[in-house]
Structure formats: structure tokens, C-alpha cells
Amino acid sequence: MTANGKGVSLRLENCAKTYPGGIQVLSPMTLEIARGETVVLLGPSGCGKTTTLRIIAGLIQPDHGGRVLFDGVDVTSVPIEKRNVGMVFQSYALFPNMTVAGNIGYGLKIRHVPKAERRKRVDAMMQLVGIDTLHDRRVDQLSGGQRQRVALARAVACQPRVLLLDEPLTALDASLRDRLRTDLNQLFRSLGITTIYVTHDQGEAMALGDRIVVMTKGTIAQVGTPDEIYFRPANRFVAEFIGAANILEGPLQSEVMLLPGGQLHIDGGRTGDTAVAMVRPEAIGIVSPDGASWTGRIQTKIFLGDRLRLTVAEAATSAIVVDASNRLVVQVGDRVGLTVPNGSVRLLTS
Amino acid sequence: MIAARLPVALQAAFTVLVTAFLIVPAVMSMLAGVTVQYSRGLSSGLTLEWVVEVWTLYSDTILRSVLIALATLGCTLTIGVPAAYGLQVTGGRIARVIEEIITLPLAIPGLAIALGMIITYGGVGSFRQSSLFILAGHVVFTMPFMIRSVMAVLGVIDLDTLDESAASLGASRWQRFIDVVVPNAIPGILAGSLTVVTLSLGEFNLTWMLHTPLTKTLPVGLADSYASMRLEIASAYTLIFFVLLVPLLAAMQFAARNRATRGRQ
């Protein structure tokens, strides 16, 4: 069962937010979201992601000149209760005075959906999110995961034009979060509603987003698909925020970066002053130091089960992290050669 | 062992003494109301004659008090609950200032409030001479208790998010108020209601200034009977007052206990 067709396309046009006292929490931003797309707003606390979500919801107004468009129609001045958006809050915000079914059916009741039809849709929603046995359960008798599912069912029951989720998994423990992340992914794909998902967890963003909007200090740092964001970060902030990244700094000579431990080939590099480049830990290979163009000394070694995490000193201006095969035999203090496949090093702007 | 129990025993004895100090005068007063002749004590016999006489003489003040208390409750519910919701959702400096202004009657003596009302509205003859004048005074005096009580509960339930959540589902402000705010504020509304009714029934200072001979309430009548009637009648009046008030206090305790139990669950 799908709750809707494909929702609406969404456009934020020059949306900024300044609070009284002149504190600007969001710089003017323009963002296009396609119909049925799942976009994740990702960034650290205070980066403006929740403010953006609340502007889309209609809970706060953007500064003068900012516009929110649903399918090309300006809804900037339409209050939240008339926008037909579904929202899942971090605290779930379930109504304690209602049962599970009462919560899920509340939006339908507001829309005067007949009781029999309401019951049918509530049952369908409960089945969709896997809580069909909790119909008459009180909210305070639910676990965190069950509450999250009720909040989600409630948000989609009214067939919203846009589904908005504000860090819905943050309050859950890690294992439950991983499980629900997979469930959410399947649900978003089956519903096909335009979805905006706010999180500070890059794993969640990678798993759920068709595209990710990485934000920092009230601005958009990069918009892209998960693999674009991961492999081709636009700048140092994105590189360091998404996954583990080794930031290398050194002078460039043609396509070669000169480092304390040797030389590193960089595609597209041009001779100039000090450049900054990024290479992911899993992209670096460990080889024999004999004849290697880039070497270093193993400083620490941690066995993580699926891989060996090494810290290698003397290779760059600061120690670098390498994820090697869990069967690699090396000792702390060993001198090792380092290799990086072509195209795995990315030059960054600061 | 004995040394360990001694502080507990002392505490219990002290509690009993203090309780007795508070309760004995009230019990004595009520007993006087059913004693044939107080100066001769219980040996003179028990009677309901004084209670009947009080009812004959003062039933209008008792009924008026009950009506004013219920009307005060109606006003504080109608104005206070939405006001608490508005203040809680609005937040910010202006809401805090308004809250302080509403709370002022708690700090100002009842006599001063009454004087202010007489100076301001005393010239409106029909209003001044009716029970509505006392009702207005009681509403001003009790409103902070209702608003504070409801706000305390709304503050605990994260009202802002619940409100936003209901709004996202399409509920208008009124629907949010009726469907989400009121049901979740019931413990506060209940506690506030009982406080308001109890305070209104027992209010003397303000009422004494606002009343006319035709708009006496129970506590004013009680003061009159103490001043002008024999002690047994005044005491019977006290007995009736207690009969009205004690069930309310018990209900308040019961509601508070229920709330605490639900909170623990």
C-alpha cells in the first residue's frame, strides 16, 4: 500500500532566517527537490538544517524575500495546518491522551474522513509500519521504536504532499537505529512521497538520501548523491564531516604532491603553492617500503574485526589513517610503503 | 536500637502535637455548634437546633457562596485555560510580563484589590450592588491559581511540540486546544478548579469590602454571626462551612495523588 502518488516538487528560493537581535541562523539558500525524491539535510548542530525543515513545514517564516514553492505554487504564507505536510519530530510528539490508533487517525479525523474509512486507513498504516497489534495501546506503554513507527504512520496517514522528519532516530539506541534505518529506507521507496530528512548522522544520510545537502554555519556546503558527497567532497568541511578522511597538505609540482614521506600522484594537480587534498583511509594500500614512492611508519594498530585500522606517521604533515585488510601482518614501528589508486585523491578548496 | 528509634518517636510526637494544635480548635468550634449550651459543655447534650437556625437565617449566604464559587470556576476555566495555553505557546518576554501582571493579585492584599475595584467600578450602581461585583473580585483573585496550575502541567508535557505536531496534521488552533491541550492539561485544570472553588468559598478579605447587606457570602455571614449572635450559632455556621469545604479538600488531595501515581507510571 502506498500512502500517496509522488508528493510535490519543492523549491526553496532565497530562504534565509534572521532572529530578533540580528542573529542570522540561515544564509539565503536556494534548493530544488524533485517530486518523490528523498533529500537529507545533514550537518552538525546549529548548521541551520532544522531551521530549513521548519521553513518548509511552515512553522517559521523565512526572512523577507524568501519563498517556498510546492509544485511551483508559493506556499510561503500558508500556515502549517493548511500545507498538508507530514512531520515526524525528534521527540515523536505523540498525543498522550490518545491511543495508538487515535494518534494515527487524528489527521484523518480533522479532515472529516468517515469513521469506517478512517479505521481502514489507520489499520493499513499500522500494517505498513509493522505495529498492527498495538491498535488500542496507550502511548506511554510503547517502546522507543514503536513510538517512532506510530509517529511515522501518523505523519503519512493523511497522504501529505511532503514528508518531513526531524532527526527521528536520534532518541533510539544504536542497534535499533540501524534496524529502523533499513525499514525507513524501504518505506520511503514504497511511499514515494517527497521526503526531507534532517540528521547529523552521516550513516543515516548515506543510507536514506537520494541526495544529501551538507550544511554548515547556515549555508549549503554541498548538494549531491551520497557517492558524490563521499568521493568528491566539494571542500575540506564536507570531506572531514562525511566519513573518515586524511587531509594532506603540501606543495604541488605538476600532478605530484610533495609530502614528508615521499610523493603522491594527484590527477589534475597543477604546479603551485601548498595544496590541500583528501584521501579516504580505505583507498590507501599497504605495500613493501622498498621502491615505494610514499612511505611511513606504523604508529598504532587497532583490529576492528572487518578491517585493521592503522595510524601511519611520517607520511604526511600529520599522521594518516589507513584501513587495511584484517589479515595484514604488520607491527607497530614497521616502515611501510603506501599506494593510492589513480583518482582516489581529491584536491580540496579550503 | 532504642537510640535509633528515638528520633522517629520524637518526630511522631511532634507531628501529633502540631496536628492537634491545629485541629482541636476547629473540632471544638464544630462541637460547640451541636452542643445545647456551650458554657456547660457536652454534658448539656447534643442538638441540631443551631444548625437548623443557621440554615434558616443564613441559607441565602450559603447558596450565594456556592453559586459565586461555581461562577468563579466557570470564569476562570473559560478565561484561564485558554490564557495559559496562549502564554505557554507564545513564550518570550511579552508572555512573561503578562503572566506577572496576571499573578499580581497573589501579592496584593485582598483589601487593596477590593478598594481598587470600588474606586473604579463603584459608580456603576447595578453592578456594585449585585453579586456580580463579588464574582468579579473572586475571578481576579483566583485567576492566577488556575493559570499557574494549568501552565505548570503544560510546561511538563512539551506543549510546543505537541501543538506543532497537531498543526502539522491539519488541526486549527481551536482544534488543537480542544483535542490536545485540554485533555493533557486535565490534572492542572482539576487542581486549579479545586483551588479556585475552595478559595472562593472561603474568601473573606476582599468579599468583606465588596459585599452589600444583600450580597453577603458565607464567610461574611460567619463573621457577622460571630460578632452578633450567640456562640453556638456561630459555631454551627462553622460546621456548615466545614461540611462544604472538607469534601473539596479531600477531592483535591485525591486528584493530586492520582496525578502523582500517573506520573510515576
Side-chain angles (χ1 to χ4, degrees):
Chain A
M1 143 121 204
T2 60
N4 197 12
K6 294 285 179 185
V8 292
S9 66
L10 186 71
R11 181 176 163 80
L12 293 180
E13 207 172 86
N14 211 26
C15 283
K17 185 64 193 174
T18 310
Y19 283 110
I23 304 159
Q24 190 176 52
V25 293
L26 195 65
S27 301
M29 69 142 71
T30 295
L31 182 65
E32 295 261 12
I33 297 167
R35 182 179 300 214
E37 190 180 17
T38 298
V39 167
V40 177
L41 305 180
L42 173 69
S45 294
C47 70
K49 55 189 189 299
T50 295
T51 303
T52 308
L53 190 84
R54 291 171 73 80
I55 287 175
I56 297 170
L59 286 169
I60 53 176
Q61 285 287 304
D63 292 347
H64 183 70
R67 296 204 307 159
V68 180
L69 297 106
F70 285 5
D71 268 346
V73 178
D74 190 343
V75 295
T76 316
S77 55
V78 177
I80 182 171
E81 57 264 36
K82 295 198 188 305
R83 268 191 205 194
N84 193 16
V85 295
M87 196 156 181
V88 178
F89 295 82
Q90 190 175 338
S91 61
Y92 315 131
L94 300 179
F95 309 129
N97 57 307
M98 298 179 198
T99 60
V100 166
N103 267 277
I104 297 171
Y106 182 69
L108 300 170
K109 187 178 151 197
I110 292 293
R111 285 162 176 78
H112 305 294
V113 173
K115 211 169 177 179
E117 168 69 10
R118 200 160 75 213
R119 168 101 197 184
K120 218 166 86 183
R121 279 172 56 183
V122 167
D123 287 347
M125 284 301 124
M126 291 177 75
Q127 206 161 7
L128 183 74
V129 297
I131 50 167
D132 37 335
T133 57
L134 303 178
H135 203 274
D136 297 317
R137 193 76 69 83
R138 276 202 347 245
V139 167
D140 58 4
Q141 295 171 326
L142 302 177
S143 68
Q146 289 169 333
R147 285 176 197 216
Q148 197 272 342
R149 288 167 193 269
V150 174
L152 194 63
R154 184 178 68 175
V156 295
C158 297
Q159 303 179 339
R161 296 195 288 175
V162 181
L163 178 60
L164 307 167
L165 302 100
D166 187 6
E167 309 220 22
L169 303 183
T170 304
L172 305 174
D173 61 63
S175 62
L176 187 56
R177 211 158 52 222
D178 285 347
R179 207 164 62 237
L180 285 173
R181 187 192 290 172
T182 311
D183 292 352
L184 279 179
N185 195 12
Q186 285 174 350
L187 190 69
F188 293 161
R189 307 299 149 205
S190 68
L191 292 175
I193 305 174
T194 311
T195 303
I196 324 291
Y197 188 104
V198 162
T199 183
H200 64 268
D201 182 320
Q202 35 131 336
E204 252 170 69
M206 292 282 174
L208 298 172
D210 293 324
R211 282 190 303 152
I212 298 173
V213 178
V214 185
M215 298 181 68
T216 177
K217 295 175 184 167
T219 59
I220 294 176
Q222 187 174 0
V223 182
T225 59
D227 68 289
E228 278 172 353
I229 298 279
Y230 189 77
F231 292 116
R232 296 190 292 283
N235 54 41
R236 184 169 182 163
F237 168 78
V238 177
E240 289 186 306
F241 190 73
I242 307 288
N246 292 300
I247 304 297
L248 310 172
E249 290 181 61
L252 267 181
Q253 282 185 358
S254 185
E255 289 197 329
V256 172
M257 178 178 268
L258 302 177
L259 295 164
Q263 300 179 343
L264 181 65
H265 179 83
I266 297 178
D267 289 337
R270 280 180 294 183
T271 303
D273 293 333
T274 303
V276 179
M278 183 278 298
V279 59
R280 297 287 178 193
E282 69 275 14
I284 304 174
I286 300 288
V287 293
S288 162
D290 303 332
S293 60
W294 189 28
T295 60
R297 189 175 300 282
I298 294 177
Q299 195 174 43
T300 64
K301 182 181 81 169
I302 303 168
F303 181 70
L304 295 175
D306 60 337
R307 63 192 189 277
L308 204 57
R309 175 151 283 192
L310 306 171
T311 311
V312 180
E314 301 170 18
T317 45
S318 56
I320 61 167
V321 176
V322 177
D323 282 344
S325 160
N326 53 5
R327 298 203 176 273
L328 182 73
V329 181
V330 286
Q331 301 302 325
V332 171
D334 284 358
R335 185 141 203 96
V336 291
L338 304 164
T339 61
V340 180
N342 281 345
S344 296
V345 185
R346 182 164 175 85
L347 274 174
L348 300 173
T349 59
S350 58
Chain B
M1 191 71 157
I2 293 171
R5 283 186 180 172
L6 194 59
V8 179
L10 281 173
Q11 275 179 24
F14 183 71
T15 306
V16 168
L17 270 176
V18 170
T19 309
F21 182 77
L22 293 171
I23 286 178
V24 166
V27 173
M28 292 297 287
S29 181
M30 284 189 285
L31 270 180
V34 288
T35 306
V36 173
Q37 197 173 349
Y38 182 66
S39 56
R40 283 172 50 209
L42 285 176
S43 59
S44 66
L46 295 173
T47 178
L48 284 175
E49 183 189 344
W50 310 123
V51 175
V52 173
E53 193 160 341
V54 165
W55 186 256
T56 311
L57 287 171
Y58 293 108
S59 61
D60 61 325
T61 68
I62 295 165
L63 289 174
R64 187 174 296 110
S65 267
V66 171
L67 284 176
I68 287 177
L70 291 176
T72 304
L73 174 63
C75 291
T76 51
L77 282 174
T78 311
I79 302 167
V81 180
Y85 169 50
L87 289 171
Q88 192 73 29
V89 170
T90 309
R93 196 177 301 165
I94 293 173
R96 278 201 300 277
V97 169
I98 293 172
E99 195 187 332
E100 291 308 320
I101 291 171
I102 292 170
T103 313
L104 267 182
L106 288 179
I108 300 173
L111 289 174
I113 296 172
L115 199 60
M117 286 185 68
I118 290 168
I119 291 168
T120 314
Y121 306 112
V124 187
S126 54
F127 179 48
R128 170 72 184 91
Q129 285 156 27
S130 73
S131 297
L132 288 178
F133 199 50
I134 296 172
L135 171 65
H138 282 206
V139 169
V140 169
F141 175 61
T142 56
M143 188 64 81
F145 293 93
M146 178 60 82
I147 290 179
R148 287 269 169 161
S149 179
V150 175
M151 281 184 80
V153 172
L154 295 182
V156 171
I157 60 169
D158 189 12
L159 179 74
D160 289 348
T161 318
L162 286 181
D163 194 62
E164 288 177 350
S165 164
S168 75
L169 294 166
S172 65
R173 189 164 279 273
W174 174 249
Q175 285 169 322
R176 269 129 64 192
F177 176 68
I178 294 297
D179 294 338
V180 177
V181 177
V182 170
N184 287 300
I186 287 291
I189 293 173
L190 193 63
S193 299
L194 288 163
T195 310
V196 164
V197 171
T198 313
L199 283 175
S200 175
L201 276 177
E203 210 298 315
F204 175 75
N205 288 347
L206 189 133
T207 317
W208 184 72
M209 287 283 280
L210 298 180
H211 87 279
T212 68
L214 296 176
T215 59
K216 276 184 196 169
T217 62
L218 193 155
V220 174
L222 189 61
D224 274 1
S225 68
Y226 272 120
S228 58
M229 310 289 279
R230 56 183 297 171
L231 188 63
E232 288 84 351
I233 289 186
S235 298
Y237 208 157
T238 308
L239 179 61
I240 290 175
F241 185 57
F242 270 97
V243 167
L244 279 175
L245 215 55
V246 168
L248 275 174
L249 289 171
M252 198 190 291
Q253 290 284 343
F254 180 74
R257 201 171 57 234
N258 253 4
R259 194 171 143 193
T261 310
R262 285 191 64 178
R264 275 198 299 276
Q265 284 170 349

